[in-house]
Amino acid sequence: MSILQEEVTRRGVIAGTGALVVSFSLTRAFAQDLPPATPLTPPVTLPGSLDDERFLDSWIRIDADNSITVFTGKAELGQGIRTALLQVAAEELDVKPEDIVLVTADTGRTPNEGFTAGSQSMQNSGTAIRNAAAQVRALLLSEAAKRFAVAPAELKSENRTVLAKDGRSLTYGELVSELMLHVEAQPQSTLKDPGALRVMGKSLPRVDIPAKVTGGQAYVHDLRLDGMLHARVVLPPSPAAELSEVDASAAEAMPGVVSVVRDGNFLAVVAEKEFQTVNAMRTLAATARWQERESLPDQTDLPAELQRLEREVGTVAEAGVLSSGDNQFEATFMRPYQIHGSIGPSCAVAQMKADGSLDVWSHTQGVYPDRAAIAEMLAMPEEKVHVIHMEGSGCYGHNGADDAAADAALIATKVPGRPIRVQWMREQEHSWEPYGPAMLMKVNASLDRAGRIASWAYDVWSNTHSTRPGGAGALLAARHKSQPFQPKPPELNITPSGNGDRNANPLYAIANKRVLWHFLPDMPLRVSALRALGAYANVFAIESTIDELALMAAVDPVEFRLHHMEDPRARAVIELAAERFGWNGPQMPKNRGRGFGFARYKNLAAYLAVAMEVEVERETGRVRVVRAVSAIDSGEIVNPDGIRNQTEGGILQSISWTLYEAVAFDRTRITSTDWSSYPILRFASVPDSVEVHIIERPGEPFLGTGEAAQGPAAAAVANAIRNAIGKRLYDLPFTRDRVRSAVGHA
């Protein structure tokens, strides 16, 4: 059993000779053993996620054997968060990262930090852990000072030990034997001075990589439990299909088959071995009869369909008075439905145990919300459902992970006792995962006589971009049951972070503007969160417009941005990206163009600017990004390599979305069910170089990194194509046919 799966027990705590037991599960498992804690009066806001889990023992545990465990409710999704959080904790505890065991999202052990989403893991969990660790270190020093009869300032901590000037020392394990950290965190701990940092700010090799490159147990797909059975679901062929009949006899008679499960439209087969299950699934699917009907819109009329779906309009931003002038630009931009395209289709393992409890291993991005949804679907008490996060091979948003978990959980209740592993097939992932929503954006902007933006009207047609659990109705298995659960009705909710309206309000200084969100409560295709939510399309549309206005004003696009930018940190990333790209260098050769894009993610997180050079083959319409040079300000740096990894990956994914990706469908079914019908960026089209330049901001709050590149990268591609061919493209993706058509009309 791995360390991450090891259960913390009361017996183990008592056996620890009274050691400091500071963990989330313990504070709830035997709170009667702990002294009553007095919360701060009146309640004050605590840093990051400490404000939701306010006691130190929700975050840190130190045992008598001098071992240290740190708990986070955030999940490792491939973004390197395990490494960064280890660095933060190690820094403030004055230990080495390898001295810490980090336990990630687990409803039985870790704090409830909701979803791992929105590039907020460092802002929320990193901030909480850093402040908690600093307070724990201060308490350790204080306790040692009492024992040594000296002032805390005369002591130092290092390598899990407190040292006195006269050579006396006590380990953390020895010190905590008489301490109890079931106390509320203080509003602000004394953090290390930026100049004294030893672990933060250094590039530490990611701790999740070795298992991934050596064939270890890296993903939930790799999990193998004793006695495990394999299951496959037979999903409907189309969103509106109803199962009218199925003959399970042939599948049930196949070698290794243990059970066929049916509940309304939910249909699955369970067998001893995986390939036996795949064969039985295909046999079962061949006997299933479905009633289908047209429920999808005309793909060629998608912009009109989105406008027809509008139910209400919300004002995102409004200032001054709109006007029209001679120098006016008006355009409509379109984003299609897009998929997460996880390389490993969704997978989960579940086991219904003899005591009536259910264990679920899932690559969900929210173990607590998923637990609540599964419990509702199965009519079980939440405390009887235990959800443990394990990585999945690809996500960045709400893909099929929660659905596979629900499939496994439902099947496990029908075949109790043995672990059930559910693995989706590729065509199921492409057809049934929640897509990134299609969006429509309209811009009307004008310039004054001085060449500055005089008026800005922006309208976006979009939904909330999130249908995560939240309720059993978010799960396919629950929707397909004979007594189906319905999704919760979405509501228009304008927040600082934004959803469908994310980044719809430009950061530029514009005196007269109006930004409206035309809210779509219902979408014809199943949709949810895809990396950056509405920011990808909104920034693409805004930054494309900024370039057109710069052309109208006869001003260089970078200079035009700087003329309208007051935020000094935004100016810094714009200037750095332009400088390192060589923006003011010689003119591009024929069939090549350069483009620029900028945004501050959510207008309150990381700043990112990127310049790109593209090459356009006019005869074929093929576009290749030759190089990309970016600059990012993520606040205080924890792991520079992690920031570069995330930014490089974000740029490449955005290039793929922008040049290739679109869900295809007819009036009844999804038709882009494989990598041929849904192409993505291939290695032959990867840029020759991708540079990431990080601006250091010591002592500043963490701003997050993972989604900052999506919008600016799309805009840079669009603007570079415009520069190369002299023609603006408005509809994503910029396929060969669209580029060739534009070249023909240029």
Side-chain angles (χ1 to χ4, degrees):
M1 181 175 289
S2 71
I3 292 175
L4 293 182
Q5 293 173 326
E6 182 182 3
E7 291 292 342
V8 181
T9 66
R10 182 173 185 268
R11 179 181 178 183
V13 171
I14 296 173
T17 65
L20 168 64
V21 280
V22 283
S23 78
F24 174 79
S25 59
L26 295 174
T27 61
R28 284 135 182 89
F30 55 99
Q32 67 274 14
D33 295 342
L34 301 177
T38 303
L40 297 177
T41 305
V44 296
T45 300
L46 299 183
S49 293
L50 279 173
D51 204 45
D52 298 313
E53 295 287 350
R54 302 175 73 88
F55 291 90
L56 294 180
D57 54 9
S58 293
W59 302 93
I60 298 174
R61 166 190 171 117
I62 301 175
D63 282 323
D65 63 1
N66 218 24
S67 61
I68 301 172
T69 308
V70 172
F71 302 86
T72 173
K74 297 299 184 180
E76 176 64 69
L77 308 174
Q79 80 278 44
I81 197 64
R82 284 176 57 199
T83 308
L85 293 179
L86 281 171
Q87 289 181 260
V88 167
E91 185 67 72
E92 294 297 345
L93 288 171
D94 273 332
V95 301
K96 300 173 183 176
E98 56 264 33
D99 291 334
I100 298 173
V101 172
L102 180 71
V103 179
T104 62
D106 181 330
T107 60
R109 303 186 67 185
T110 65
N112 182 355
E113 294 194 77
F115 293 104
T116 303
S119 300
Q120 297 180 94
S121 291
M122 290 307 298
Q123 291 172 297
N124 294 339
S125 202
T127 298
I129 289 172
R130 188 178 187 187
N131 279 270
Q135 188 174 349
V136 168
R137 174 170 50 87
L139 289 169
L140 291 167
L141 289 170
S142 178
E143 176 63 19
K146 292 177 185 177
R147 299 194 193 184
F148 294 150
V150 299
E154 297 181 29
L155 302 174
K156 69 174 183 177
S157 54
E158 63 180 33
N159 294 328
R160 295 182 286 178
T161 303
V162 176
L163 303 169
K165 292 180 179 179
D166 59 9
R168 289 180 292 171
S169 67
L170 286 168
T171 67
Y172 288 0
E174 291 170 326
L175 286 166
V176 298
S177 61
E178 296 181 7
L179 287 176
M180 184 58 65
L181 290 190
H182 186 54
V183 294
E184 188 167 347
Q186 57 196 13
Q188 181 61 56
S189 296
T190 302
L191 306 178
K192 283 190 177 180
D193 184 88
L197 300 180
R198 298 183 301 174
V199 183
M200 287 174 54
K202 307 295 190 299
S203 289
L204 187 72
R206 276 177 43 178
V207 297
D208 59 309
I209 296 298
K212 295 174 179 176
V213 298
T214 59
Q217 188 174 290
Y219 302 114
V220 67
H221 306 68
D222 305 318
L223 183 62
R224 297 294 184 271
L225 301 176
D226 291 342
M228 188 172 73
L229 297 170
H230 294 269
R232 286 291 191 278
V233 291
V234 177
L235 287 169
S238 57
E242 297 285 340
L243 183 59
S244 57
E245 61 177 298
V246 62
D247 182 358
S249 58
E252 290 172 333
M254 295 180 72
V257 171
V258 174
S259 178
V260 171
V261 176
R262 181 185 178 185
D263 186 346
N265 277 350
F266 183 85
L267 187 61
V269 61
V270 184
E272 294 284 350
K273 297 181 179 180
E274 186 165 17
F275 198 61
Q276 290 174 336
T277 313
V278 173
N279 286 334
M281 175 203 69
R282 290 171 176 160
T283 298
L284 187 63
T287 69
R289 298 293 177 262
W290 300 87
Q291 297 295 323
E292 295 187 80
R293 59 181 174 84
E294 290 187 352
S295 64
L296 303 180
D298 180 356
Q299 189 166 17
T300 63
D301 194 31
L302 197 52
E305 177 68 16
L306 293 179
Q307 292 179 80
R308 284 194 293 270
L309 290 170
E310 176 188 319
R311 291 296 178 270
E312 58 182 312
V313 180
T315 301
V316 178
E318 192 168 25
V321 179
L322 298 185
S323 61
S324 59
D326 294 334
N327 293 326
Q328 187 169 331
F329 174 77
E330 186 173 3
T332 299
F333 300 87
M334 184 70 200
R335 174 203 179 172
Y337 292 97
Q338 294 172 317
I339 70 172
H340 299 80
S342 302
I343 298 303
S346 296
C347 180
V349 178
Q351 182 178 12
M352 192 73 184
K353 297 189 291 189
D355 63 1
S357 64
L358 177 70
D359 288 343
V360 181
W361 291 263
S362 170
H363 54 113
T364 176
Q365 289 186 248
V367 290
Y368 281 92
D370 201 31
R371 179 183 71 168
I374 289 172
E376 182 185 1
M377 177 184 71
L378 300 175
M380 291 178 63
E382 283 190 29
E383 60 271 17
K384 284 287 190 179
V385 179
H386 179 200
V387 179
I388 308 106
H389 179 269
M390 286 190 70
E391 270 196 85
S393 51
C395 66
Y396 285 108
H398 176 196
N399 64 356
D402 298 275
D403 297 313
D407 293 342
L410 180 55
I411 297 168
T413 63
K414 309 295 185 182
V415 187
R418 297 177 66 178
I420 305 294
R421 178 182 182 271
V422 169
Q423 170 77 62
W424 274 17
M425 307 297 285
R426 169 53 55 195
E427 63 271 16
Q428 293 174 333
E429 188 80 22
H430 273 55
S431 300
W432 280 100
E433 67 145 82
Y435 302 131
M439 294 172 61
L440 182 70
M441 297 78 64
K442 292 188 177 184
V443 188
N444 188 312
S446 63
L447 299 175
D448 62 20
R449 293 180 180 179
R452 294 185 63 87
I453 300 174
S455 182
W456 181 278
Y458 186 87
D459 296 77
V460 56
W461 281 259
S462 182
N463 75 320
T464 63
H465 281 246
S466 182
T467 59
R468 299 178 188 271
L475 306 173
L476 279 182
R479 294 190 195 184
H480 289 160
K481 285 166 61 71
S482 57
Q483 295 182 331
F485 289 82
Q486 298 301 319
K488 292 183 177 179
E491 296 180 356
L492 173 66
N493 185 22
I494 296 174
T495 66
S497 294
N499 294 287
D501 63 322
R502 182 169 292 178
N503 277 100
N505 184 20
L507 195 65
Y508 300 105
I510 302 173
N512 305 299
K513 64 180 176 181
R514 185 198 66 211
V515 179
L516 300 180
W517 180 6
H518 300 259
F519 181 64
L520 318 179
D522 302 307
M523 294 288 274
L525 275 66
R526 186 185 184 217
V527 295
S528 193
L530 179 61
R531 196 177 188 183
L533 278 65
Y536 165 70
N538 285 323
V539 173
F540 153 67
I542 290 169
E543 288 291 289
S544 296
T545 301
I546 290 294
D547 255 39
E548 290 298 326
L549 294 175
L551 285 169
M552 289 167 53
V555 176
D556 175 82
V558 171
E559 288 301 316
F560 188 82
R561 286 170 171 82
L562 292 172
H563 290 166
H564 290 84
M565 183 54 65
E566 297 173 348
D567 187 324
R569 293 173 70 169
R571 294 179 63 88
V573 296
I574 292 171
E575 291 169 343
L576 182 58
E579 174 195 341
R580 296 300 174 91
F581 180 83
W583 185 262
N584 294 321
Q587 185 176 350
M588 289 283 119
K590 184 179 179 181
N591 296 329
R592 291 207 176 189
R594 62 186 180 188
F596 202 87
F598 160 80
R600 182 181 187 189
Y601 184 50
K602 298 188 282 191
N603 285 355
L604 49 77
Y607 301 81
L608 187 137
V610 59
M612 290 190 189
E613 178 181 347
V614 306
E615 181 179 50
V616 180
E617 294 179 359
R618 289 176 175 264
E619 296 80 9
T620 66
R622 178 177 183 258
V623 175
R624 188 176 78 88
V625 178
V626 177
R627 64 186 180 111
V629 179
S630 64
I632 185 169
D633 176 353
S634 294
E636 183 150 35
I637 299 169
V638 175
N639 189 330
D641 272 357
I643 294 175
R644 291 189 186 95
N645 294 160
Q646 284 300 289
T647 305
E648 289 174 5
I651 289 171
L652 293 180
Q653 186 182 44
S654 185
I655 291 172
S656 184
W657 288 351
T658 304
L659 295 180
Y660 302 101
E661 299 187 38
V663 173
F665 50 91
D666 57 28
R667 298 302 300 269
T668 304
R669 295 185 176 188
I670 303 298
T671 57
S672 51
T673 59
D674 55 26
W675 295 121
S676 296
S677 50
Y678 189 94
I680 60 174
L681 182 74
R682 302 298 178 108
F683 283 110
S685 299
V686 169
D688 296 339
S689 66
V690 178
E691 296 178 24
V692 180
H693 301 281
I694 306 170
I695 295 180
E696 296 187 11
R697 296 292 183 188
E700 291 290 337
F702 304 132
L703 294 181
T705 298
E707 296 164 293
Q710 307 306 112
V717 173
N719 291 332
I721 293 173
R722 170 71 166 88
N723 183 245
I725 68 174
K727 184 80 172 180
R728 170 70 57 188
L729 298 179
Y730 299 94
D731 294 342
L732 296 167
F734 304 145
T735 62
R736 293 188 181 204
D737 287 345
R738 284 175 173 163
V739 173
R740 192 167 56 244
S741 175
V743 168
H745 292 88

